[in-house]
Amino acid sequence: MKKIIVMAGAALVLAACGKSEKEFDATGTFEATETTVSAEQSGTLLAFNVNEGDMIESGREVGLVDTTQIWLKIRQLAATKEVYQSQKPDMEKQIAATRQQLAKAQAEQRRYQELVADGAAPSKMLDDAVSQVQVLQRQLEAQKSSLATSTNSLSKQMATTDVQVGLLRDQLQKCHILAPVSGTVLEKYVERGEFVSAGKPLFKVADMEKMNMRAYVTSSQLQQIRIGQKVKVFADYGAGQRKEYDGTVSWISSRSEFTPKTILTDDERADLVYAVKIAVNNDGYIKIGMYGEVKL
């Protein structure tokens, strides 16, 4: 009888010890990287195919802002460029007459050179012919310079038009609302038909498949943690319901902070703790803000 009592007492002591040992080393909450998508152009939202809870892929077009005004400006600049192109002078045609006059003057100069050499004409006639050639040569160079300046000016104006068209095409592209990342739509802020301005938030998306748990540990626990370390993570559903996941330590804060009031650590007397992030692959049951526990 005494033996039975001793054994029962020992069992109670063991049970009490087992209950006094915590099943976790730190607690925290689950979070995901949230991305808020905003409008990049102002205008009426002609299309917006986004609903809360939708799964969207990166690069998928989910909406369209009115492009009418931008498209009309592009057409206007295209017409302006054609006007500049039509104003470009045809240099060869513009200087053809002067070239012909110069060729004739040079021929006269050669003829007078021969006559003066033979003594059949006075030297003044040769001097006049030489002067006429020089005048026409300067006139030809002046025409070329003037036409080149005009052509360059029009070419620069056309280049400026091309830059403006490029800017407008970039704005046109930004009217197409694309999902920047793959994930689940968490919140939707506007509806189709609304007028949106540049910078206005449209919806929020987060990758719910790869989540993080932000937990807090004391300085004495830091020596047990390293980046890349495998740990056990438990999602707490309340009423004693928990689900276990494999986690990997992905980040350790380099700065201490005061213990958040909602967080319990292994040493509750410590005022300073360090935040850590633990990467977890979500099977669809973990939600943002859910409490969890970590076993190192």
Side-chain angles (χ1 to χ4, degrees):
M1 182 68 179
K2 290 182 179 179
K3 186 175 181 181
I4 294 174
I5 293 174
V6 171
M7 292 178 65
L12 289 172
V13 171
L14 290 174
C17 293
K19 289 182 180 179
S20 62
E21 182 182 354
K22 288 187 177 180
E23 298 180 357
F24 56 87
D25 296 302
T27 64
T29 56
F30 289 96
E31 59 184 28
T33 302
E34 301 178 5
T35 302
T36 300
V37 181
S38 301
E40 295 185 84
Q41 291 296 319
S42 299
T44 303
L45 203 55
L46 299 181
F48 194 54
N49 303 317
V50 170
N51 292 298
E52 294 179 354
D54 286 352
M55 293 288 296
I56 56 177
E57 297 179 357
S58 176
R60 170 187 161 190
E61 184 171 334
V62 296
L64 176 67
V65 176
D66 187 9
T67 61
T68 304
Q69 294 299 318
I70 298 176
W71 178 245
L72 289 175
K73 289 180 181 178
I74 291 176
R75 294 189 61 184
Q76 182 183 25
L77 287 171
T80 301
K81 183 178 179 180
E82 290 181 0
V83 171
Y84 289 147
Q85 180 65 41
S86 66
Q87 291 177 349
K88 277 190 172 184
D90 188 334
M91 184 176 293
E92 290 303 318
K93 289 184 179 179
Q94 294 278 357
I95 65 176
T98 306
R99 281 187 183 278
Q100 187 174 4
Q101 291 176 0
L102 178 59
K104 182 178 179 181
Q106 288 173 336
E108 288 291 322
Q109 178 183 341
R110 289 191 296 271
R111 187 168 68 85
Y112 282 123
Q113 284 177 341
E114 294 175 358
L115 291 175
V116 170
D118 294 339
S123 59
K124 183 180 183 304
M125 297 184 68
L126 176 59
D127 293 339
D128 292 341
V130 170
S131 178
Q132 181 65 19
V133 168
Q134 292 175 347
V135 169
L136 289 172
Q137 286 177 336
R138 293 190 184 96
Q139 184 178 341
L140 181 62
E141 293 300 323
Q143 285 182 329
K144 285 183 177 180
S145 177
S146 177
L147 292 171
T149 300
S150 178
T151 300
N152 290 336
S153 177
L154 290 169
S155 295
K156 289 179 179 179
Q157 288 177 314
M158 291 175 64
T160 301
T161 304
D162 289 336
V163 172
Q164 292 174 337
V165 170
L167 291 173
L168 289 172
R169 289 195 180 279
D170 180 65
Q171 294 177 12
L172 191 66
Q173 184 63 36
K174 289 178 179 178
C175 288
H176 297 264
I177 303 168
L178 306 179
V181 295
S182 299
T184 302
V185 177
L186 302 180
E187 297 180 55
K188 177 182 178 181
Y189 305 120
V190 296
E191 296 292 341
R192 177 183 175 183
E194 290 186 31
F195 181 88
V196 297
S197 56
K200 180 179 177 62
L202 302 177
F203 65 97
K204 182 184 291 184
V205 63
D207 185 357
M208 297 295 292
E209 294 183 357
K210 296 179 181 179
M211 299 187 68
N212 292 301
M213 178 182 176
R214 180 185 286 266
Y216 294 86
V217 298
T218 62
S219 57
S220 61
Q221 291 175 308
L222 281 178
Q223 60 182 350
Q224 305 176 43
I225 303 175
R226 67 182 185 280
I227 294 179
Q229 177 181 341
K230 303 296 182 182
V231 297
K232 292 296 181 182
V233 175
F234 301 91
D236 189 349
Y237 296 93
Q241 299 183 16
R242 303 162 69 207
K243 189 170 183 179
E244 180 179 329
Y245 295 89
D246 293 325
T248 304
V249 177
S250 59
W251 173 79
I252 302 174
S253 175
S254 57
R255 178 180 299 176
S256 63
E257 54 188 287
F258 286 101
T259 308
K261 294 186 181 299
T262 57
I263 301 298
L264 298 176
T265 63
D266 189 47
D267 185 1
E268 297 179 10
R269 295 171 299 174
D271 290 330
L272 294 177
V273 292
Y274 295 84
V276 298
K277 283 186 180 181
I278 301 167
V280 179
N281 289 327
N282 188 9
D283 57 359
Y285 292 99
I286 302 176
K287 306 300 181 184
I288 296 174
M290 181 181 289
Y291 280 94
E293 300 158 352
V294 182
K295 185 67 176 177
L296 302 177

